[in-house]
Amino acid sequence: MADPHAPVVETLAARCGERLARVESRCGELTFEVAPRDLAEVCALLRDDDALGYEQLVDLAGVDYLTHGSDEWRTNESTRSGFSRGVLRGPAAGAEGAAGERRFAVVYHLLSVRHNRRLRLRCWCEPGDPPLLPSVCDVWASANWYEREAFDLFGILFDGHPDLRRILTDYGFVGHPFRKDFPLIGNVEVRYDPAKGRVVYEPVAIEPRTLVPRVIRDDARYEAALKDPPRHG
């Protein structure tokens, strides 16, 4: 079956060359990777080139690959013991990001209104702490709030952002909630103390536990041959 993305792929190859590397997508989305040093220039080209015309940044999201490839459960068969089947979280052997390299990435979802096409762009942050990428606010104005969200939740810094502040958590919040090494129960509890007449912060009283059930679905809904092909146009 011919690749429906072939015309766009050829145009990108001619315009960007080796600066873009195609990534296979299970859901049929056109996906490329770009290096941090080329990010701003490639994004401007994707927006301004008439043959591409990705004038809209639909979404920008941070990703933490710390435990990518590891399993919450290590059983192959269901049991009656419920949550006792839970195992401790931790990076699996060979999991991408387990050694501290290529842990954080940012994914850009682009839309070309004039051509009715979508493109997904992924850029890995340079190894180190804090993770850092160039800002694309000068390319798409909508990146302003999206980059603040990625900074707030993942701790990813964006060089050149005009006002990189937290946007979802409280002013005095410490940490980044979407990092996979951040405890699900948080670090502190917040409540109003009527005796003191103010809000107080206390250690979390909830004990961490595994809350993800092991469900194996292996029926016709998941047969690739029975799925409808993706629609493009």
Side-chain angles (χ1 to χ4, degrees), residues 117-216:
R117 291 196 296 248
R118 296 179 183 270
L119 183 142
R120 182 167 57 186
L121 195 65
R122 179 170 67 179
C123 186
W124 291 91
C125 300
E126 295 287 355
D129 191 24
L132 177 67
L133 280 181
S135 173
V136 294
C137 284
D138 291 339
V139 181
W140 298 289
S142 60
N144 190 311
W145 281 29
Y146 292 143
E147 289 180 351
R148 285 181 59 186
E149 181 182 45
F151 160 68
D152 193 359
L153 300 180
F154 291 93
I156 300 173
L157 299 182
F158 294 90
D159 186 23
H161 191 286
D163 187 18
L164 196 61
R165 294 178 290 124
R166 291 186 181 272
I167 193 171
L168 294 176
T169 58
D170 197 5
Y171 295 108
F173 191 86
V174 178
H176 304 282
F178 278 12
R179 287 194 174 192
K180 290 186 177 179
D181 52 6
F182 190 88
L184 294 179
I185 59 174
N187 291 313
V188 295
E189 292 180 352
V190 182
R191 67 177 180 85
Y192 178 77
D193 189 327
K196 296 181 179 180
R198 62 180 176 84
V199 172
V200 296
Y201 294 81
E202 299 174 335
V204 177
I206 303 174
E207 294 184 2
R209 59 177 178 168
T210 300
L211 298 175
V212 181
R214 173 62 168 169
V215 179
I216 302 176

Side-chain angles (χ1 to χ4, degrees), residues 98-109:
E101 298 181 359
R102 290 168 66 90
R103 173 179 172 179
F104 293 100
V106 174
V107 179
Y108 305 80
H109 294 268

Side-chain angles (χ1 to χ4, degrees), residues 3 5 22-32 107-110 118-121 230 232:
D3 184 359
H5 301 301
R22 189 170 182 183
V23 180
E24 293 300 323
S25 172
R26 293 183 179 180
C27 56
E29 292 188 5
L30 186 59
T31 306
F32 287 89
V107 179
Y108 305 80
H109 294 268
L110 310 180
R118 296 179 183 270
L119 183 142
R120 182 167 57 186
L121 195 65
H232 305 281

